[in-house]
Amino acid sequence: MNDIILLKLGELVLKGQNRRYFEQRLISNINRRIEAFGRFRIYSVQSTIYVEPLDDDCDMDETFEALKQVFGIASLSRAAACEKRAEAILETAKTYLKDELEGISSFKVETKRSDKSFPMTSIELSQYVGSGLHQAFPHLKPDMHEPELTVNVEVRDYAAYVHAGSVRGAGGLPVGTGGRAVSLLSGGIDSPVATYMMAKRGLKIIPVHFFSFPYTSELAKQKVLDIAAVLKNYCGDLTVEIVPFTRIQEEMRAKCPEEYFTIIMRRFMMRIAQKIADFNGCKAIVTGENLGQVASQTVEAMAVTEACCSLPVLRPLIGMDKDEIVVLARKIGTFDLSVLPYEDCCTVFTPRHPKTKPRLELVEAAEKALDIEALTREAIEGTTRVKV
Ligand code: ATP
Ligand code: MG
């Protein structure tokens, strides 16, 4: 059987002149995502991408599941390819969809015909296949309005395809087509979701994690790497930058007023993220901040936080409720890891009475006690990179 996967492109079809570029990027992302499951030929014709196994031992189930996580794909179907003859199409439908057809009681056939030279109209072909299936599976009732199963026939340039409908893809745009960004990845619930959302809009992500050993343990770091391993399914290859943050926090605790701890830490994160972004050609900084969730997430605090970096700060969760974020975290599979009880670097240094409406000049005055440049440089020099 000529088992094949058909992928319908989403928004990128609309991208005019860039469309070729978007498609090529998507095909190379797909290639990398499924290479572990066998050898495939991947090509696009008429806004459909075909994923064709080259060997019998290609794992088509795993491949199909993996492709559901690739951004840029609107819908997917598993299909059987056959010759463009009505008899061959009917035979293929009988054998390829046998199990499905035996398990249901009503069906219809829907035909799309992009090859207009095919000798039957779409309706004629649907009727031919429908009555043939009815003969082969006499328990089946044709039902044009609410069939339990729709048998799809597509007659295209080089072959015909039979399948039982499509499932939704991950949507979005192919990772990489929007350039690169760093994403501040804690072990919490929010930042993995933010990372996912911006990868979905086509950004190639470099995750940055601030690590405060021994205030936070190796387990906390491992948790972040485990979260990154889940995100990799959507984001493609990830190399996490692990930035040592302890010195900065200890200096701050010794020399700055407690009420500014959170905002000062967050400003250091931004400065360091900006440097890492510059080294890596990244054009934005992504965070999991959310308006009003905690003291450092007021508009005033965000303004002070981002005043020390020049790249745009993208906060895709800004207007979401916590329960909406949790739904997404569960869907992408990071939630169970995020709620593991390892402390975060910020919680250890959380002030008892944080300033919710900090003023930039007062924060800057408080930071004067620190050698910002040396601390930032030291953190960058100590940064390690872990390929997930
Ligand atoms: P999260 O669930 O993502 O940890 P949060 O609600 O706990 O978010 P904060 O602790 O205020 O919020 O952090 C806000 C954002 O700052 C996070 O979403 C993340 O992008 C970034 N951040 C916080 N701590 C770290 C860290 N240790 N390493 C990297 N980024 C961090
Ligand atoms: Mg957090």
Side-chain angles (χ1 to χ4, degrees), residues 75-136:
S75 69
L76 318 74
S77 23
R78 270 183 88 160
C82 65
E83 254 181 279
K84 292 200 291 183
R85 282 187 304 110
E87 300 78 21
I89 292 170
L90 172 58
E91 278 317 304
T92 303
K94 278 190 208 165
T95 43
Y96 184 65
L97 300 179
K98 181 168 182 285
D99 292 347
E100 278 102 326
L101 291 168
E102 280 173 348
I104 51 140
S105 59
S106 65
F107 81 116
K108 74 169 174 180
V109 180
E110 227 170 65
T111 301
K112 279 198 205 119
R113 203 180 49 124
S114 56
D115 171 10
K116 301 295 178 196
S117 70
F118 190 78
M120 291 166 134
T121 65
S122 297
I123 293 177
E124 284 165 356
L125 183 56
S126 292
Q127 282 168 348
Y128 174 82
V129 174
S131 73
L133 289 176
H134 188 47
Q135 268 170 29

Side-chain angles (χ1 to χ4, degrees), residues 245-268 345-346 348-351 366-367 369-371 375:
F245 209 46
T246 314
R247 259 278 286 158
I248 288 172
Q249 289 174 309
E250 288 179 340
E251 279 284 295
M252 174 191 78
R253 183 169 58 187
K255 297 178 179 164
C256 302
E258 183 184 315
E259 58 190 3
Y260 289 126
F261 280 1
T262 305
I263 195 99
I264 291 174
M265 284 191 287
R266 302 205 45 73
R267 280 163 60 83
F268 269 101
C345 76
C346 297
V348 183
F349 292 83
T350 301
E367 285 174 343
L370 305 172
D371 187 342
L375 286 169

Side-chain angles (χ1 to χ4, degrees), residues 184-192 208-210 266 269 286-289 293-294 296-297 322 344-346:
L184 304 195
L185 188 61
S186 71
I189 295 171
D190 300 335
S191 48
V208 177
H209 178 66
F210 297 91
R266 302 205 45 73
M269 289 186 187
V286 179
T287 80
E289 287 164 301
Q293 200 183 80
V294 288
S296 63
Q297 298 180 11
K322 193 73 185 188
D344 181 58
C345 76
C346 297

Side-chain angles (χ1 to χ4, degrees), residues 4 15 51 74 121 129 135 151 223 225 231 325 335 355 373:
I4 193 171
K15 299 279 167 184
V51 179
T121 65
V129 174
Q135 268 170 29
V151 174
K223 168 180 166 182
L225 294 174
L231 291 172
I325 300 169
F335 183 80
K355 273 255 181 282
E373 221 190 285

